[in-house]
Amino acid sequence: MAKKLNLNDYLGHNMNCTCGEEHKTNLKIVDIDKNAVARLPKHIETLGYKNPFLVADVNTWDAAGTQVTKELETANISYKKYIFKDKELVPDEKTLGSLMMAFPRDCDVIIAIGSGTLNDLCKFSSFQLGLDYMIFATAPSMDGFVSIGAALITDYVKTTYQAHVPLAVIGDTDILAAAPMEMITAGLGDILGKYTCLLDWKMAHIITGEYYCKTIADMVKEAVEIVVEESTRIKDRNPEAIKAVTEALVLSGIAMSFVGNSRPASGSEHHLSHYWEMKFQAEGKKPVLHGIKVGIGMIIVTKMYEMLEQEHFNFTSLKERSFDYAAWEKKVNDCYQDAAPGIIALEEKTQKNNLSERNKRLTILEEKWSEIVQTIRESLPSSAEMESLLSCLGAPTKPAQIGISPQLVEDAILLAKEVRNRFTLLQILWDTGLSESYAKTIANLH
């Protein structure tokens, strides 16, 4: 059994790290345990608030709204509420605008009753309004509870906006354990995605010199190990297992707030997920939970890392390869459609596909190839092991199981890297000329 997390070790003080940086989070309270809903009024009063604004959707209100309001009324805490009528919330301009318009000016804190999308909406709107916010979690479905960024969709592009962390995360384990199993396994998928994202981060450090903190990476690895060891009890909705998963998700978010961005928790597996999400939205398809897509993306990325470590390159030839910008731009327009202008503008700004910069990275790849191969081998469990773990809990492991076609798999491997200015395996594959062959190989497997 992995040791239990003590999240209080990271709260209420600055951490002088061996990486040379000072890490801190504004998160003040984490209460994930039995009967936490009864302690919510105390937490509100401890933080000095008088008139919270509760935000939920119809699903999360059914899960926890009655219990939350009963406790607030018993404690004589006045509140106002806004319940989205949508069963499938899309965090776009329209949804955010409706929330901002509903905000009552006499409220002094926003409390999101929910998890993923509601968290992002409340995080961003509270930041824009200059207010604090809290989370009353209803499902252990994702790791963004205390990340500093808010993932929203603007002009059809999934974009992470600067925001702030909540002051408190409250989760009643009885409520969390009663969440749909799909949401629980989504949280598992999001955590397992840390295997590949941490390796991406280390690759970026080796190849581009990007900042990397081993202490933070080890924090996240510990969270992953706890979730993996608890996985057999998750299926039974064991409250202690659900508590461990939720705390691991929160710890992952603390790691993000320590760094100031999502690097310790989001890599190429998330880029694939973001691409699929954008395509589903553009085609009017029912959205799939973020963590479910991340879990599938993690398996794909792991398989590609397994392929990469077997490669032998002629780096001289690789540096002579040209780049057909016009063909790339056409592919971007064909695949991203309404979102294409934003993708093209990002490339013009960041120059991820600049040949001179690519060749600099190839020089480092050549110099450090043995170290890179060793790092891959030491960092990842096998893709088969991860597939088995997820499938044993009834979670999808293949794109086709959630309606992702082989073509969509192929396009994501080719183009998902354009969604973010972040160095990951997808950029390594582009730099080494492997993107197209790997995309076709992986698409044919699924």
Side-chain angles (χ1 to χ4, degrees), residues 196 268-269 272 276 293-307 383 387 397-399 404 409-410 412-413 425-426 429 438 442-443 445-446:
T196 47
S268 45
E269 74 295 323
L272 298 177
W276 294 329
K293 299 193 299 293
V294 168
I296 292 171
M298 174 273 301
I299 292 170
I300 288 174
V301 174
T302 301
K303 288 178 178 177
M304 293 194 296
Y305 264 122
E306 290 169 346
M307 294 161 63
S383 56
E387 282 191 89
T397 59
K398 300 182 186 304
I404 296 173
V409 172
E410 185 174 335
I413 293 170
L425 171 66
L426 299 178
L429 298 183
Y438 276 33
I442 295 296
L445 290 175
H446 298 284

PDB file of all heavy atoms in Angstrom, residues 196 268-269 272 276 293-307 383 387 397-399 404 409-410 412-413 425-426 429 438 442-443 445-446:
ATOM      1  N   THR A 196       2.691   9.947 -19.002  1.00  0.00           N
ATOM      2  CA  THR A 196       3.218  10.472 -20.267  1.00  0.00           C
ATOM      3  C   THR A 196       3.512  11.963 -20.184  1.00  0.00           C
ATOM      4  O   THR A 196       4.491  12.432 -20.765  1.00  0.00           O
ATOM      5  CB  THR A 196       2.253  10.175 -21.420  1.00  0.00           C
ATOM      6  OG1 THR A 196       0.900  10.519 -21.046  1.00  0.00           O
ATOM      7  CG2 THR A 196       2.290   8.697 -21.789  1.00  0.00           C
ATOM      8  N   SER A 268       1.217  15.522 -24.180  1.00  0.00           N
ATOM      9  CA  SER A 268       0.685  15.130 -25.483  1.00  0.00           C
ATOM     10  C   SER A 268      -0.625  14.368 -25.383  1.00  0.00           C
ATOM     11  O   SER A 268      -1.471  14.457 -26.273  1.00  0.00           O
ATOM     12  CB  SER A 268       1.727  14.319 -26.251  1.00  0.00           C
ATOM     13  OG  SER A 268       2.327  13.345 -25.427  1.00  0.00           O
ATOM     14  N   GLU A 269      -0.814  13.617 -24.290  1.00  0.00           N
ATOM     15  CA  GLU A 269      -2.083  12.900 -24.113  1.00  0.00           C
ATOM     16  C   GLU A 269      -3.249  13.878 -23.995  1.00  0.00           C
ATOM     17  O   GLU A 269      -4.351  13.621 -24.489  1.00  0.00           O
ATOM     18  CB  GLU A 269      -2.009  11.969 -22.892  1.00  0.00           C
ATOM     19  CG  GLU A 269      -2.054  12.638 -21.539  1.00  0.00           C
ATOM     20  CD  GLU A 269      -0.854  13.531 -21.230  1.00  0.00           C
ATOM     21  OE1 GLU A 269       0.282  13.166 -21.625  1.00  0.00           O
ATOM     22  OE2 GLU A 269      -1.050  14.594 -20.612  1.00  0.00           O
ATOM     23  N   LEU A 272      -4.047  15.427 -27.559  1.00  0.00           N
ATOM     24  CA  LEU A 272      -4.931  14.551 -28.327  1.00  0.00           C
ATOM     25  C   LEU A 272      -6.370  14.715 -27.852  1.00  0.00           C
ATOM     26  O   LEU A 272      -7.293  14.833 -28.666  1.00  0.00           O
ATOM     27  CB  LEU A 272      -4.499  13.094 -28.177  1.00  0.00           C
ATOM     28  CG  LEU A 272      -3.103  12.725 -28.697  1.00  0.00           C
ATOM     29  CD1 LEU A 272      -2.805  11.262 -28.405  1.00  0.00           C
ATOM     30  CD2 LEU A 272      -2.971  12.994 -30.188  1.00  0.00           C
ATOM     31  N   TRP A 276      -9.670  16.062 -30.054  1.00  0.00           N
ATOM     32  CA  TRP A 276     -10.911  15.299 -30.221  1.00  0.00           C
ATOM     33  C   TRP A 276     -12.111  16.066 -29.686  1.00  0.00           C
ATOM     34  O   TRP A 276     -13.189  16.043 -30.275  1.00  0.00           O
ATOM     35  CB  TRP A 276     -10.783  13.949 -29.511  1.00  0.00           C
ATOM     36  CG  TRP A 276      -9.761  13.044 -30.121  1.00  0.00           C
ATOM     37  CD1 TRP A 276      -9.400  12.985 -31.445  1.00  0.00           C
ATOM     38  CD2 TRP A 276      -8.938  12.090 -29.442  1.00  0.00           C
ATOM     39  NE1 TRP A 276      -8.412  12.045 -31.620  1.00  0.00           N
ATOM     40  CE2 TRP A 276      -8.113  11.476 -30.421  1.00  0.00           C
ATOM     41  CE3 TRP A 276      -8.837  11.670 -28.115  1.00  0.00           C
ATOM     42  CZ2 TRP A 276      -7.195  10.479 -30.093  1.00  0.00           C
ATOM     43  CZ3 TRP A 276      -7.922  10.685 -27.788  1.00  0.00           C
ATOM     44  CH2 TRP A 276      -7.116  10.098 -28.770  1.00  0.00           C
ATOM     45  N   LYS A 293     -10.972  10.580 -22.377  1.00  0.00           N
ATOM     46  CA  LYS A 293     -10.161  10.840 -23.571  1.00  0.00           C
ATOM     47  C   LYS A 293      -8.674  10.872 -23.223  1.00  0.00           C
ATOM     48  O   LYS A 293      -7.843  10.383 -23.987  1.00  0.00           O
ATOM     49  CB  LYS A 293     -10.580  12.156 -24.238  1.00  0.00           C
ATOM     50  CG  LYS A 293     -12.026  12.196 -24.716  1.00  0.00           C
ATOM     51  CD  LYS A 293     -12.301  13.372 -25.633  1.00  0.00           C
ATOM     52  CE  LYS A 293     -12.074  14.711 -24.997  1.00  0.00           C
ATOM     53  NZ  LYS A 293     -13.028  15.035 -23.922  1.00  0.00           N
ATOM     54  N   VAL A 294      -8.354  11.438 -22.074  1.00  0.00           N
ATOM     55  CA  VAL A 294      -6.943  11.497 -21.656  1.00  0.00           C
ATOM     56  C   VAL A 294      -6.393  10.092 -21.444  1.00  0.00           C
ATOM     57  O   VAL A 294      -5.255   9.788 -21.829  1.00  0.00           O
ATOM     58  CB  VAL A 294      -6.788  12.352 -20.381  1.00  0.00           C
ATOM     59  CG1 VAL A 294      -5.387  12.186 -19.784  1.00  0.00           C
ATOM     60  CG2 VAL A 294      -7.044  13.823 -20.690  1.00  0.00           C
ATOM     61  N   GLY A 295      -7.187   9.209 -20.818  1.00  0.00           N
ATOM     62  CA  GLY A 295      -6.739   7.841 -20.607  1.00  0.00           C
ATOM     63  C   GLY A 295      -6.432   7.134 -21.915  1.00  0.00           C
ATOM     64  O   GLY A 295      -5.409   6.445 -22.046  1.00  0.00           O
ATOM     65  N   ILE A 296      -7.301   7.314 -22.903  1.00  0.00           N
ATOM     66  CA  ILE A 296      -7.065   6.724 -24.227  1.00  0.00           C
ATOM     67  C   ILE A 296      -5.854   7.374 -24.882  1.00  0.00           C
ATOM     68  O   ILE A 296      -5.012   6.699 -25.484  1.00  0.00           O
ATOM     69  CB  ILE A 296      -8.323   6.867 -25.100  1.00  0.00           C
ATOM     70  CG1 ILE A 296      -9.445   5.975 -24.544  1.00  0.00           C
ATOM     71  CG2 ILE A 296      -8.031   6.518 -26.561  1.00  0.00           C
ATOM     72  CD1 ILE A 296     -10.794   6.192 -25.185  1.00  0.00           C
ATOM     73  N   GLY A 297      -5.742   8.699 -24.740  1.00  0.00           N
ATOM     74  CA  GLY A 297      -4.579   9.397 -25.280  1.00  0.00           C
ATOM     75  C   GLY A 297      -3.293   8.933 -24.645  1.00  0.00           C
ATOM     76  O   GLY A 297      -2.259   8.785 -25.314  1.00  0.00           O
ATOM     77  N   MET A 298      -3.333   8.661 -23.332  1.00  0.00           N
ATOM     78  CA  MET A 298      -2.149   8.172 -22.622  1.00  0.00           C
ATOM     79  C   MET A 298      -1.681   6.833 -23.187  1.00  0.00           C
ATOM     80  O   MET A 298      -0.479   6.616 -23.380  1.00  0.00           O
ATOM     81  CB  MET A 298      -2.473   8.045 -21.129  1.00  0.00           C
ATOM     82  CG  MET A 298      -1.395   7.421 -20.271  1.00  0.00           C
ATOM     83  SD  MET A 298      -1.452   5.599 -20.179  1.00  0.00           S
ATOM     84  CE  MET A 298      -3.091   5.336 -19.508  1.00  0.00           C
ATOM     85  N   ILE A 299      -2.622   5.943 -23.474  1.00  0.00           N
ATOM     86  CA  ILE A 299      -2.252   4.643 -24.038  1.00  0.00           C
ATOM     87  C   ILE A 299      -1.605   4.821 -25.409  1.00  0.00           C
ATOM     88  O   ILE A 299      -0.576   4.203 -25.722  1.00  0.00           O
ATOM     89  CB  ILE A 299      -3.490   3.730 -24.121  1.00  0.00           C
ATOM     90  CG1 ILE A 299      -3.950   3.347 -22.707  1.00  0.00           C
ATOM     91  CG2 ILE A 299      -3.184   2.474 -24.941  1.00  0.00           C
ATOM     92  CD1 ILE A 299      -5.297   2.656 -22.652  1.00  0.00           C
ATOM     93  N   ILE A 300      -2.178   5.689 -26.243  1.00  0.00           N
ATOM     94  CA  ILE A 300      -1.611   5.954 -27.572  1.00  0.00           C
ATOM     95  C   ILE A 300      -0.206   6.535 -27.462  1.00  0.00           C
ATOM     96  O   ILE A 300       0.725   6.107 -28.154  1.00  0.00           O
ATOM     97  CB  ILE A 300      -2.533   6.903 -28.367  1.00  0.00           C
ATOM     98  CG1 ILE A 300      -3.800   6.156 -28.801  1.00  0.00           C
ATOM     99  CG2 ILE A 300      -1.818   7.503 -29.579  1.00  0.00           C
ATOM    100  CD1 ILE A 300      -4.837   7.042 -29.468  1.00  0.00           C
ATOM    101  N   VAL A 301      -0.039   7.521 -26.584  1.00  0.00           N
ATOM    102  CA  VAL A 301       1.272   8.161 -26.432  1.00  0.00           C
ATOM    103  C   VAL A 301       2.291   7.159 -25.895  1.00  0.00           C
ATOM    104  O   VAL A 301       3.452   7.137 -26.334  1.00  0.00           O
ATOM    105  CB  VAL A 301       1.170   9.404 -25.525  1.00  0.00           C
ATOM    106  CG1 VAL A 301       2.551   9.981 -25.235  1.00  0.00           C
ATOM    107  CG2 VAL A 301       0.290  10.468 -26.177  1.00  0.00           C
ATOM    108  N   THR A 302       1.877   6.316 -24.953  1.00  0.00           N
ATOM    109  CA  THR A 302       2.779   5.290 -24.435  1.00  0.00           C
ATOM    110  C   THR A 302       3.238   4.352 -25.548  1.00  0.00           C
ATOM    111  O   THR A 302       4.422   4.000 -25.649  1.00  0.00           O
ATOM    112  CB  THR A 302       2.099   4.489 -23.310  1.00  0.00           C
ATOM    113  OG1 THR A 302       1.723   5.383 -22.256  1.00  0.00           O
ATOM    114  CG2 THR A 302       3.039   3.436 -22.746  1.00  0.00           C
ATOM    115  N   LYS A 303       2.302   3.944 -26.402  1.00  0.00           N
ATOM    116  CA  LYS A 303       2.663   3.080 -27.527  1.00  0.00           C
ATOM    117  C   LYS A 303       3.670   3.780 -28.446  1.00  0.00           C
ATOM    118  O   LYS A 303       4.621   3.156 -28.936  1.00  0.00           O
ATOM    119  CB  LYS A 303       1.416   2.687 -28.318  1.00  0.00           C
ATOM    120  CG  LYS A 303       0.529   1.686 -27.598  1.00  0.00           C
ATOM    121  CD  LYS A 303      -0.724   1.363 -28.404  1.00  0.00           C
ATOM    122  CE  LYS A 303      -1.577   0.327 -27.676  1.00  0.00           C
ATOM    123  NZ  LYS A 303      -2.838   0.033 -28.401  1.00  0.00           N
ATOM    124  N   MET A 304       3.487   5.067 -28.674  1.00  0.00           N
ATOM    125  CA  MET A 304       4.406   5.783 -29.559  1.00  0.00           C
ATOM    126  C   MET A 304       5.771   5.965 -28.914  1.00  0.00           C
ATOM    127  O   MET A 304       6.797   5.900 -29.598  1.00  0.00           O
ATOM    128  CB  MET A 304       3.792   7.121 -29.982  1.00  0.00           C
ATOM    129  CG  MET A 304       2.567   6.962 -30.875  1.00  0.00           C
ATOM    130  SD  MET A 304       2.025   8.463 -31.733  1.00  0.00           S
ATOM    131  CE  MET A 304       1.569   9.521 -30.366  1.00  0.00           C
ATOM    132  N   TYR A 305       5.814   6.166 -27.608  1.00  0.00           N
ATOM    133  CA  TYR A 305       7.105   6.203 -26.920  1.00  0.00           C
ATOM    134  C   TYR A 305       7.793   4.838 -27.015  1.00  0.00           C
ATOM    135  O   TYR A 305       9.023   4.751 -27.175  1.00  0.00           O
ATOM    136  CB  TYR A 305       6.934   6.604 -25.455  1.00  0.00           C
ATOM    137  CG  TYR A 305       7.142   8.080 -25.180  1.00  0.00           C
ATOM    138  CD1 TYR A 305       6.134   8.853 -24.596  1.00  0.00           C
ATOM    139  CD2 TYR A 305       8.349   8.697 -25.477  1.00  0.00           C
ATOM    140  CE1 TYR A 305       6.333  10.205 -24.320  1.00  0.00           C
ATOM    141  CE2 TYR A 305       8.557  10.053 -25.199  1.00  0.00           C
ATOM    142  CZ  TYR A 305       7.543  10.798 -24.624  1.00  0.00           C
ATOM    143  OH  TYR A 305       7.746  12.141 -24.358  1.00  0.00           O
ATOM    144  N   GLU A 306       7.020   3.755 -26.906  1.00  0.00           N
ATOM    145  CA  GLU A 306       7.592   2.418 -27.041  1.00  0.00           C
ATOM    146  C   GLU A 306       8.191   2.214 -28.431  1.00  0.00           C
ATOM    147  O   GLU A 306       9.234   1.566 -28.586  1.00  0.00           O
ATOM    148  CB  GLU A 306       6.508   1.364 -26.766  1.00  0.00           C
ATOM    149  CG  GLU A 306       6.091   1.302 -25.302  1.00  0.00           C
ATOM    150  CD  GLU A 306       4.848   0.460 -25.045  1.00  0.00           C
ATOM    151  OE1 GLU A 306       4.131   0.134 -26.018  1.00  0.00           O
ATOM    152  OE2 GLU A 306       4.583   0.121 -23.875  1.00  0.00           O
ATOM    153  N   MET A 307       7.532   2.777 -29.446  1.00  0.00           N
ATOM    154  CA  MET A 307       8.058   2.705 -30.806  1.00  0.00           C
ATOM    155  C   MET A 307       9.314   3.571 -30.955  1.00  0.00           C
ATOM    156  O   MET A 307      10.297   3.176 -31.576  1.00  0.00           O
ATOM    157  CB  MET A 307       6.985   3.153 -31.800  1.00  0.00           C
ATOM    158  CG  MET A 307       5.782   2.219 -31.877  1.00  0.00           C
ATOM    159  SD  MET A 307       4.293   2.997 -32.607  1.00  0.00           S
ATOM    160  CE  MET A 307       4.862   3.365 -34.261  1.00  0.00           C
ATOM    161  N   SER A 383       2.199  -0.070 -22.222  1.00  0.00           N
ATOM    162  CA  SER A 383       0.860   0.290 -22.687  1.00  0.00           C
ATOM    163  C   SER A 383      -0.125  -0.828 -22.388  1.00  0.00           C
ATOM    164  O   SER A 383      -1.293  -0.573 -22.061  1.00  0.00           O
ATOM    165  CB  SER A 383       0.886   0.608 -24.187  1.00  0.00           C
ATOM    166  OG  SER A 383       1.412  -0.480 -24.928  1.00  0.00           O
ATOM    167  N   GLU A 387      -3.645  -0.464 -20.373  1.00  0.00           N
ATOM    168  CA  GLU A 387      -4.907  -0.914 -20.967  1.00  0.00           C
ATOM    169  C   GLU A 387      -5.627  -1.865 -20.023  1.00  0.00           C
ATOM    170  O   GLU A 387      -6.848  -1.777 -19.831  1.00  0.00           O
ATOM    171  CB  GLU A 387      -4.646  -1.602 -22.305  1.00  0.00           C
ATOM    172  CG  GLU A 387      -4.378  -0.651 -23.455  1.00  0.00           C
ATOM    173  CD  GLU A 387      -4.381  -1.367 -24.799  1.00  0.00           C
ATOM    174  OE1 GLU A 387      -5.460  -1.480 -25.407  1.00  0.00           O
ATOM    175  OE2 GLU A 387      -3.304  -1.801 -25.236  1.00  0.00           O
ATOM    176  N   THR A 397     -10.599   1.952 -23.574  1.00  0.00           N
ATOM    177  CA  THR A 397      -9.155   2.025 -23.796  1.00  0.00           C
ATOM    178  C   THR A 397      -8.807   2.257 -25.254  1.00  0.00           C
ATOM    179  O   THR A 397      -7.651   2.499 -25.571  1.00  0.00           O
ATOM    180  CB  THR A 397      -8.466   0.719 -23.343  1.00  0.00           C
ATOM    181  OG1 THR A 397      -9.013  -0.379 -24.089  1.00  0.00           O
ATOM    182  CG2 THR A 397      -8.677   0.473 -21.857  1.00  0.00           C
ATOM    183  N   LYS A 398      -9.807   2.202 -26.123  1.00  0.00           N
ATOM    184  CA  LYS A 398      -9.576   2.363 -27.561  1.00  0.00           C
ATOM    185  C   LYS A 398     -10.446   3.494 -28.100  1.00  0.00           C
ATOM    186  O   LYS A 398     -11.601   3.654 -27.684  1.00  0.00           O
ATOM    187  CB  LYS A 398      -9.878   1.063 -28.299  1.00  0.00           C
ATOM    188  CG  LYS A 398      -9.014  -0.116 -27.843  1.00  0.00           C
ATOM    189  CD  LYS A 398      -9.316  -1.366 -28.624  1.00  0.00           C
ATOM    190  CE  LYS A 398      -8.548  -2.563 -28.057  1.00  0.00           C
ATOM    191  NZ  LYS A 398      -7.094  -2.320 -28.008  1.00  0.00           N
ATOM    192  N   PRO A 399      -9.919   4.278 -29.036  1.00  0.00           N
ATOM    193  CA  PRO A 399     -10.674   5.416 -29.571  1.00  0.00           C
ATOM    194  C   PRO A 399     -12.052   5.040 -30.102  1.00  0.00           C
ATOM    195  O   PRO A 399     -13.026   5.775 -29.896  1.00  0.00           O
ATOM    196  CB  PRO A 399      -9.759   5.934 -30.688  1.00  0.00           C
ATOM    197  CG  PRO A 399      -8.391   5.518 -30.288  1.00  0.00           C
ATOM    198  CD  PRO A 399      -8.558   4.197 -29.597  1.00  0.00           C
ATOM    199  N   ILE A 404     -14.338   7.723 -31.769  1.00  0.00           N
ATOM    200  CA  ILE A 404     -13.229   8.383 -32.469  1.00  0.00           C
ATOM    201  C   ILE A 404     -12.768   7.470 -33.599  1.00  0.00           C
ATOM    202  O   ILE A 404     -12.321   6.346 -33.359  1.00  0.00           O
ATOM    203  CB  ILE A 404     -12.068   8.683 -31.506  1.00  0.00           C
ATOM    204  CG1 ILE A 404     -12.518   9.695 -30.438  1.00  0.00           C
ATOM    205  CG2 ILE A 404     -10.854   9.226 -32.252  1.00  0.00           C
ATOM    206  CD1 ILE A 404     -11.504   9.930 -29.344  1.00  0.00           C
ATOM    207  N   VAL A 409      -7.987   9.727 -35.196  1.00  0.00           N
ATOM    208  CA  VAL A 409      -6.769   9.370 -34.479  1.00  0.00           C
ATOM    209  C   VAL A 409      -5.548   9.867 -35.249  1.00  0.00           C
ATOM    210  O   VAL A 409      -4.639  10.499 -34.691  1.00  0.00           O
ATOM    211  CB  VAL A 409      -6.671   7.839 -34.277  1.00  0.00           C
ATOM    212  CG1 VAL A 409      -5.305   7.461 -33.695  1.00  0.00           C
ATOM    213  CG2 VAL A 409      -7.786   7.354 -33.368  1.00  0.00           C
ATOM    214  N   GLU A 410      -5.540   9.590 -36.551  1.00  0.00           N
ATOM    215  CA  GLU A 410      -4.409   9.986 -37.392  1.00  0.00           C
ATOM    216  C   GLU A 410      -4.243  11.494 -37.418  1.00  0.00           C
ATOM    217  O   GLU A 410      -3.134  12.023 -37.243  1.00  0.00           O
ATOM    218  CB  GLU A 410      -4.634   9.445 -38.808  1.00  0.00           C
ATOM    219  CG  GLU A 410      -3.467   9.684 -39.745  1.00  0.00           C
ATOM    220  CD  GLU A 410      -3.663   9.015 -41.097  1.00  0.00           C
ATOM    221  OE1 GLU A 410      -4.404   8.015 -41.178  1.00  0.00           O
ATOM    222  OE2 GLU A 410      -3.059   9.507 -42.072  1.00  0.00           O
ATOM    223  N   ALA A 412      -5.225  13.672 -35.242  1.00  0.00           N
ATOM    224  CA  ALA A 412      -4.810  14.194 -33.937  1.00  0.00           C
ATOM    225  C   ALA A 412      -3.309  14.054 -33.730  1.00  0.00           C
ATOM    226  O   ALA A 412      -2.647  14.979 -33.237  1.00  0.00           O
ATOM    227  CB  ALA A 412      -5.562  13.473 -32.820  1.00  0.00           C
ATOM    228  N   ILE A 413      -2.751  12.915 -34.117  1.00  0.00           N
ATOM    229  CA  ILE A 413      -1.304  12.719 -33.964  1.00  0.00           C
ATOM    230  C   ILE A 413      -0.534  13.705 -34.841  1.00  0.00           C
ATOM    231  O   ILE A 413       0.526  14.212 -34.463  1.00  0.00           O
ATOM    232  CB  ILE A 413      -0.929  11.261 -34.298  1.00  0.00           C
ATOM    233  CG1 ILE A 413      -1.529  10.329 -33.239  1.00  0.00           C
ATOM    234  CG2 ILE A 413       0.593  11.081 -34.359  1.00  0.00           C
ATOM    235  CD1 ILE A 413      -1.446   8.860 -33.577  1.00  0.00           C
ATOM    236  N   LEU A 425       6.073  14.832 -26.974  1.00  0.00           N
ATOM    237  CA  LEU A 425       6.402  13.765 -27.920  1.00  0.00           C
ATOM    238  C   LEU A 425       5.928  14.102 -29.331  1.00  0.00           C
ATOM    239  O   LEU A 425       6.611  13.781 -30.309  1.00  0.00           O
ATOM    240  CB  LEU A 425       5.757  12.456 -27.464  1.00  0.00           C
ATOM    241  CG  LEU A 425       5.844  11.297 -28.464  1.00  0.00           C
ATOM    242  CD1 LEU A 425       7.283  10.856 -28.664  1.00  0.00           C
ATOM    243  CD2 LEU A 425       4.971  10.136 -28.028  1.00  0.00           C
ATOM    244  N   LEU A 426       4.777  14.759 -29.444  1.00  0.00           N
ATOM    245  CA  LEU A 426       4.247  15.073 -30.777  1.00  0.00           C
ATOM    246  C   LEU A 426       5.200  15.971 -31.556  1.00  0.00           C
ATOM    247  O   LEU A 426       5.329  15.832 -32.778  1.00  0.00           O
ATOM    248  CB  LEU A 426       2.865  15.716 -30.657  1.00  0.00           C
ATOM    249  CG  LEU A 426       1.781  14.862 -29.989  1.00  0.00           C
ATOM    250  CD1 LEU A 426       0.468  15.629 -29.896  1.00  0.00           C
ATOM    251  CD2 LEU A 426       1.581  13.536 -30.729  1.00  0.00           C
ATOM    252  N   LEU A 429       8.164  13.791 -32.725  1.00  0.00           N
ATOM    253  CA  LEU A 429       7.815  13.014 -33.920  1.00  0.00           C
ATOM    254  C   LEU A 429       7.861  13.892 -35.166  1.00  0.00           C
ATOM    255  O   LEU A 429       8.319  13.461 -36.230  1.00  0.00           O
ATOM    256  CB  LEU A 429       6.427  12.387 -33.757  1.00  0.00           C
ATOM    257  CG  LEU A 429       6.263  11.384 -32.614  1.00  0.00           C
ATOM    258  CD1 LEU A 429       4.858  10.789 -32.632  1.00  0.00           C
ATOM    259  CD2 LEU A 429       7.320  10.285 -32.690  1.00  0.00           C
ATOM    260  N   TYR A 438       3.837   7.171 -37.799  1.00  0.00           N
ATOM    261  CA  TYR A 438       3.288   6.781 -36.502  1.00  0.00           C
ATOM    262  C   TYR A 438       1.770   6.978 -36.484  1.00  0.00           C
ATOM    263  O   TYR A 438       1.035   6.163 -35.912  1.00  0.00           O
ATOM    264  CB  TYR A 438       3.930   7.588 -35.378  1.00  0.00           C
ATOM    265  CG  TYR A 438       5.250   7.047 -34.883  1.00  0.00           C
ATOM    266  CD1 TYR A 438       6.139   6.408 -35.749  1.00  0.00           C
ATOM    267  CD2 TYR A 438       5.630   7.168 -33.557  1.00  0.00           C
ATOM    268  CE1 TYR A 438       7.356   5.921 -35.299  1.00  0.00           C
ATOM    269  CE2 TYR A 438       6.843   6.675 -33.096  1.00  0.00           C
ATOM    270  CZ  TYR A 438       7.707   6.057 -33.976  1.00  0.00           C
ATOM    271  OH  TYR A 438       8.917   5.569 -33.530  1.00  0.00           O
ATOM    272  N   ILE A 442      -0.651   3.861 -35.631  1.00  0.00           N
ATOM    273  CA  ILE A 442      -1.543   3.882 -34.466  1.00  0.00           C
ATOM    274  C   ILE A 442      -3.002   3.839 -34.916  1.00  0.00           C
ATOM    275  O   ILE A 442      -3.829   3.126 -34.321  1.00  0.00           O
ATOM    276  CB  ILE A 442      -1.285   5.123 -33.601  1.00  0.00           C
ATOM    277  CG1 ILE A 442       0.130   5.079 -32.996  1.00  0.00           C
ATOM    278  CG2 ILE A 442      -2.320   5.258 -32.501  1.00  0.00           C
ATOM    279  CD1 ILE A 442       0.373   3.943 -32.022  1.00  0.00           C
ATOM    280  N   ALA A 443      -3.348   4.587 -35.950  1.00  0.00           N
ATOM    281  CA  ALA A 443      -4.737   4.584 -36.437  1.00  0.00           C
ATOM    282  C   ALA A 443      -5.150   3.183 -36.880  1.00  0.00           C
ATOM    283  O   ALA A 443      -6.278   2.750 -36.639  1.00  0.00           O
ATOM    284  CB  ALA A 443      -4.893   5.566 -37.586  1.00  0.00           C
ATOM    285  N   LEU A 445      -4.087   0.421 -35.663  1.00  0.00           N
ATOM    286  CA  LEU A 445      -4.228  -0.437 -34.500  1.00  0.00           C
ATOM    287  C   LEU A 445      -5.613  -0.310 -33.863  1.00  0.00           C
ATOM    288  O   LEU A 445      -6.038  -1.200 -33.117  1.00  0.00           O
ATOM    289  CB  LEU A 445      -3.179  -0.079 -33.439  1.00  0.00           C
ATOM    290  CG  LEU A 445      -1.725  -0.404 -33.745  1.00  0.00           C
ATOM    291  CD1 LEU A 445      -0.817   0.135 -32.656  1.00  0.00           C
ATOM    292  CD2 LEU A 445      -1.537  -1.915 -33.892  1.00  0.00           C
ATOM    293  N   HIS A 446      -6.272   0.781 -34.152  1.00  0.00           N
ATOM    294  CA  HIS A 446      -7.539   1.069 -33.469  1.00  0.00           C
ATOM    295  C   HIS A 446      -8.701   1.123 -34.448  1.00  0.00           C
ATOM    296  O   HIS A 446      -9.730   1.681 -34.173  1.00  0.00           O
ATOM    297  CB  HIS A 446      -7.419   2.384 -32.705  1.00  0.00           C
ATOM    298  CG  HIS A 446      -6.370   2.354 -31.632  1.00  0.00           C
ATOM    299  ND1 HIS A 446      -6.545   1.726 -30.420  1.00  0.00           N
ATOM    300  CD2 HIS A 446      -5.093   2.822 -31.604  1.00  0.00           C
ATOM    301  CE1 HIS A 446      -5.452   1.842 -29.685  1.00  0.00           C
ATOM    302  NE2 HIS A 446      -4.554   2.494 -30.381  1.00  0.00           N
TER     303      HIS A 446
END
